[in-house]
Each structure stands twice: as structure tokens, then as C-alpha cells.
Amino acid sequence: MKNLIAFLFFITAGISYSQVASQALPQNTLQAPVKKTLPIRINLYANYAFDDKFDMYYSNTDYLNGKIEGGFQWGGGLEYMIHIQQGIELSYLRLDTEAPITYYDLIEKKATLDVASNYLMLGSTRYFGSHPVFEPYTGLQVGMGIINFTNPENGKSDGDVKFSWGLKAGLNIWATPKVAVVLQAGLLSVVQALGGGVYFGTGGISTGVSSYSSFYQFNIGGGLAFKLGGL
């Protein structure tokens, strides 16, 4: 009996010592460190793009003027967060609209072209503050604008790929930790996109001014942002 009591005493003392020792050890010696990963975001955009006028004059028989009309612009982006306040985004935007123009083709003529503007952009976005709901940001984008023109009166079409750039500023409102409503305003420009033979006369004779002109379209709208993974 004495041996049994002594055995139970040593077992109880050993368990008590192990519990005290485990509580005295630093926490990081008991658990493997958790590797934090920043989330990938999917951004969906729906904007209204405003009109932009252009005017190219080379001579009395070589000129063109008109405007790119506004319309609904849509697209999306995949954003990788390289820092809690910095993201790199690959985005696509599209705008289908019209461009009423006046140009010279033996005589002064008018036409309305169908315009499809596609933007493939790589951008950097800077986020500000640490509020869990409101997240303001600004961004800069560069990439290419793929502009296609069609004259529905004669069926002729043409297009070009040009350097493009953009600016944006907005606010994410996080309705949940993973889903946000996006409010945004921005500017997109395609450099030297207009002119150079991309316009077509209604009489079947190709025409275009000898110079080029860039165009700028402001847009305002919003969308949704989704966080995938991360802590």
C-alpha cells in the first residue's frame, strides 16, 4: 500500500510540474508561427463615361472634328495585394458608343461612326487609412487602348492599338470583411488614337486627316470588390 501511495504521489507531482512548466514557456515555443497572406481581390466596374470632343485641322481640305459620345463602360480587374495598403491590378474595360464627325472628302461631309473601345491596363493602387469599413484609394494605370471604328453607312471599318493611361480615385465601403461596394471616378486617355486614315467617307472613299489626336474620357461609377483568401 505504501508503494502504491508513493507511486500515485510521484505521478500527481509530475503532472502538476508539467502543467506549470508549459504555462511558463513562451507561447511561440508551443505553436508554429502563422504565415499571414495578403488577399487577392476581384474588382467589378460599371461606369458612365462622358463625351470628349476632338478637332484636327491640317488644311482647308484636310480636317476632321467631332466627339466620342459617352456611354456605359464595364469591366473588371484582378488585383494582387503586395502590401496591406498597396495593390497591383490587371484590368479590362470596354465602352461601346458612337462618334458623330465632320470631315472633308472632296466636299464637307458628316458621318456617325460606331466605336468600340477596349482597354487592357496594368495599374498600381494605393489605399489609405485603416478603418475596417471605409477604404479610400487612388491609382495610376498604363496599358493599351484597342479602338475599332465602323461606318454603318458603307460597312467600312478600321482600328488601331495605341498606348493608353489612366487615373482613378475612389472609396471602398466594406459591407462585410470580404465584399465591398465601390464608388469611383477616373480618367482614361488613348494617345494619338484619332486620325491617320481610320475614318471613312460615306461615298466609299477612304479619308483621314494627316495628324493624330489623343482623346480623354472622364468616367464616374462604381462596382463591387471581393477579397479572396488572406488574413
Side-chain angles (χ1 to χ4, degrees):
M1 177 64 70
K2 291 182 178 180
N3 291 337
L4 178 60
I5 294 173
F7 176 75
L8 294 176
F9 172 77
F10 284 116
I11 292 296
T12 304
I15 294 175
S16 300
Y17 175 79
S18 64
Q19 291 177 343
V20 172
S22 64
Q23 293 175 358
L25 289 174
Q27 187 68 22
N28 57 8
T29 63
L30 301 177
Q31 296 180 351
V34 178
K35 183 179 180 181
K36 293 185 178 182
T37 58
L38 295 171
I40 293 175
R41 299 185 181 188
I42 294 179
N43 302 314
L44 303 178
Y45 301 112
N47 304 319
Y48 179 80
F50 293 92
D51 297 353
D52 181 55
K53 294 183 179 180
F54 55 89
D55 187 357
M56 293 167 284
Y57 183 87
Y58 188 71
S59 70
N60 290 335
T61 58
D62 192 5
Y63 62 85
L64 182 149
N65 59 70
K67 70 176 179 178
I68 303 291
E69 292 186 340
F72 175 67
Q73 184 184 70
W74 59 271
L78 181 64
E79 184 175 11
Y80 176 71
M81 301 299 293
I82 61 175
H83 184 269
I84 193 171
Q85 291 184 321
Q86 190 73 44
I88 301 296
E89 182 185 30
L90 179 65
S91 62
Y92 169 79
L93 295 169
R94 181 179 175 93
L95 171 65
D96 292 290
T97 185
E98 294 182 338
I101 62 170
T102 300
Y103 63 96
Y104 189 89
D105 182 15
L106 301 179
I107 60 173
E108 185 175 271
K109 295 183 178 181
K110 297 180 182 295
T112 299
L113 308 179
D114 294 330
V115 183
S117 303
N118 299 274
Y119 301 92
L120 187 61
M121 310 292 285
L122 181 65
S124 175
T125 305
R126 177 67 174 177
Y127 297 93
F128 301 95
S130 58
H131 196 279
V133 176
F134 301 104
E135 184 182 47
Y137 64 86
T138 60
L140 171 66
Q141 303 162 297
V142 294
M144 60 181 180
I146 307 168
I147 313 299
N148 295 296
F149 301 89
T150 301
N151 188 335
E153 295 186 20
N154 60 18
K156 289 193 173 185
S157 62
D158 198 1
D160 210 344
V161 179
K162 295 290 185 179
F163 173 77
S164 61
W165 61 271
L167 300 172
K168 65 178 182 178
L171 176 68
N172 291 332
I173 304 174
W174 291 98
T176 74
K178 297 290 186 180
V179 181
V181 176
V182 180
L183 304 176
Q184 179 176 288
L187 167 68
L188 282 173
S189 175
V190 183
V191 178
Q192 294 188 337
L194 307 177
V198 296
Y199 301 96
F200 301 91
T202 56
I205 302 174
S206 298
T207 185
V209 296
S210 301
S211 61
Y212 289 84
S213 176
S214 303
F215 72 86
Y216 306 86
Q217 278 199 305
F218 290 93
N219 58 75
I220 187 170
L224 295 172
F226 303 90
K227 288 182 181 178
L228 303 180
L231 296 177

